Every structure is written in C-alpha cells, then in structure tokens.
Amino acid sequence: MYRTAMALFAERGYDGVTIEDICGGASVAKATFFLHFENKAALLQEFNDEITQILAERLAGHEGTAEEQLVFLLQGFREAYEKNAPVMRKMLREFIDQPATLSRAASVNESVVDLVTAIVRRGQEKSELRGGIPAELAAVAIVSTWSTIAAYATDHPETDTDLASRQIIDITLNGLKKKA
C-alpha cells in the first residue's frame, strides 16, 4: 500500500490521491488500509521506517565519529525528504495539523530514535559524547529537534535545510552557550 501510495503521489500529487485510489492500486479493501494506517498522513511512519532501514544499512560500514554519523544520518533523511518534498510536506503538514497524542507522534519516529540511540550510545562508549545522560533521552531530544526543523521548513520553504541541519547538530552537541 505504501509503495502504491508513493507512486500515485508522485504521479498525481498528494491532494490528487484518495485512500480509495491507494486501495484500488494496491488491490486491497479500504478496511485493510485502515488496519495499517489511520489516514494518508500516517504513511509518514512507513516513510521514516523505510529510510531508517536503508540508512542503518549504510551506517553499518560507516566508521566515523558519533557526530559524523549523526550528520550522515540527517543528510540521508533530508535527501530522502527533499526527493519527495511536495508529498512529504503535505503528509507532514496533515500529520502536524491533526490532534495527536504524544505516544502516536513518538511512534512515527520510533525507528529513527532507535538508530540515533545506538549512535549516541557508541559515542558515549568511545568518550566522544558526554556520559551521564541516557542515550535514549539524548536521541529523543535530537530526533525531536530534527522533526521540529522539518515542521518549520514546511511553513518556511525558504529555509536552507542543509544549513539548518548542520546548525541543529551543532546546537544539539554543543549547546547555545557562547564559547569562552
């Protein structure tokens, strides 16, 4: 269903595709769609999961520092997002505009948080990153910040997302305090 949806979105645009179109293209009943997805915007979780899996495989051979791995990961997400920018903006906007519980919003990024947690943990073990902060908490903070930038960029398309991504990693790892 996800692949069918993405193909239809690419062909007709996000607003030009209905759930009925997705179900027809995937040869499934509408009830089957709703067993897996709450609405079209819920396809965002599938997008995140797919990209996370691809990037995790690429990261397996990446021997850089934790910061380099985070930059690599964020660049991969940004590139995948921008490759599908019109569709992703619409899905993200629809997702943001819905009343959502914190747990539902967190579940969308669960696979991303897991991957970032592993990077942070390795960085802590190698003393590249400060210890004393649970790796998962740090990962949630990082992914939440990235998600906020993505949401911000949907309303501010003039945002240089590459620059913002680098700045966010810098702020995440080094804070906002002026260096002495």
Side-chain angles (χ1 to χ4, degrees):
M1 289 181 287
Y2 168 75
R3 297 232 179 279
T4 298
M6 294 306 281
L8 289 170
F9 294 154
E11 180 183 314
R12 302 183 203 166
Y14 184 78
D15 292 330
V17 177
T18 65
I19 291 172
E20 290 81 8
D21 295 333
I22 296 167
C23 294
S27 300
V28 298
K30 198 171 175 182
T32 302
F33 179 90
F34 288 111
L35 281 174
H36 298 280
F37 305 103
E38 184 177 333
N39 51 36
K40 287 193 309 184
L43 293 162
L44 188 59
Q45 180 171 353
E46 189 71 24
F47 172 83
N48 280 353
D49 290 347
E50 181 179 275
I51 298 305
T52 301
Q53 181 179 351
I54 291 167
L55 291 173
E57 290 167 5
R58 289 184 192 165
L59 268 174
H62 194 279
E63 295 297 322
T65 66
E67 182 173 358
E68 290 167 343
Q69 289 180 348
L70 290 171
V71 169
F72 175 81
L73 184 64
L74 187 54
Q75 286 174 337
F77 271 106
R78 187 181 50 76
E79 288 167 10
Y81 183 89
E82 288 177 0
K83 180 179 173 187
N84 300 292
V87 170
M88 297 313 298
R89 280 190 192 102
K90 292 276 188 173
M91 280 198 301
L92 184 59
R93 174 51 45 211
E94 186 176 315
F95 182 83
I96 290 168
D97 288 343
Q98 294 173 14
T101 64
L102 182 58
S103 63
R104 184 172 153 269
S107 73
V108 169
N109 287 320
E110 187 175 345
S111 61
V112 182
V113 169
D114 290 345
L115 185 56
V116 173
T117 298
I119 293 170
V120 170
R121 189 171 287 120
R122 279 191 304 272
Q124 288 173 327
E125 289 167 359
K126 293 178 175 181
S127 297
E128 296 170 357
L129 300 176
R130 187 172 84 196
I133 298 170
E136 186 171 336
L137 178 60
V140 167
I142 292 168
V143 173
S144 296
T145 304
W146 292 352
S147 298
T148 301
I149 292 299
Y152 179 84
T154 64
D155 289 334
H156 300 88
E158 72 283 358
T159 302
D160 180 342
T161 55
D162 187 48
L163 175 61
S165 298
R166 288 192 311 275
Q167 290 172 331
I168 288 306
I169 289 174
D170 180 51
I171 290 168
T172 302
L173 297 180
N174 301 308
L176 286 172
K177 279 189 169 182
K178 188 174 181 178
K179 295 181 177 140

